[in-house]
Amino acid sequence: MFGFFKNKFEKDAQAAIERRAQQMAPKAAAKVVKPAPGPSTRDQDIARMQSQVGAFVTPERQALIQNALKVQRAKRQILDQLDDESRAKLVAMAITALMQEVDSPTNKKK
């Protein structure tokens, strides 16, 4: 039942977009390539997206991401083991370092 509503709204939305495009630029609307008609299922969409992602995410990139996540988890575990007093000191030290970096004369514009 909801599939009927989804299809109806998608068709209405597409028709509204096409009407608006024709109003805004009649010459450009004639050149718009319409998608091929046919049923598009969720599995087909997922397969299409995975094939596009496959070209983008190389094995080297995947390894870099996994390594970065491991490093981030390790740092997080170290910070989680700190007591409240040590964590407060670390935050104060970081803020001080950032403020000194901003105030340094090498960062001032002439």
Side-chain angles (χ1 to χ4, degrees), residues 11-103:
K11 288 178 186 176
D12 289 347
Q14 186 64 33
I17 290 169
E18 289 174 5
R19 279 195 310 273
R20 183 68 178 157
Q22 289 174 354
Q23 290 174 353
M24 297 298 288
K27 293 178 184 176
K31 295 179 184 178
V32 173
V33 177
K34 295 181 181 178
S40 176
T41 65
R42 183 173 186 259
D43 294 334
Q44 290 172 341
D45 291 340
I46 290 172
R48 181 176 44 82
M49 290 173 71
Q50 285 176 344
S51 68
Q52 291 173 351
V53 169
F56 182 71
V57 181
T58 61
E60 295 85 15
R61 182 178 222 139
Q62 235 174 359
L64 284 172
I65 291 170
Q66 288 175 351
N67 189 28
L69 288 172
K70 286 178 187 176
V71 169
Q72 193 257 352
R73 280 188 211 112
K75 288 181 179 181
R76 186 78 221 153
Q77 286 177 350
I78 292 169
L79 291 174
D80 287 343
Q81 293 174 359
L82 292 176
D83 59 303
D84 291 339
E85 184 179 346
S86 298
R87 188 175 290 131
K89 287 180 182 178
L90 182 63
V91 169
M93 197 169 42
I95 291 173
T96 304
L98 287 173
M99 294 303 290
Q100 287 176 353
E101 195 174 292
V102 169
D103 292 338

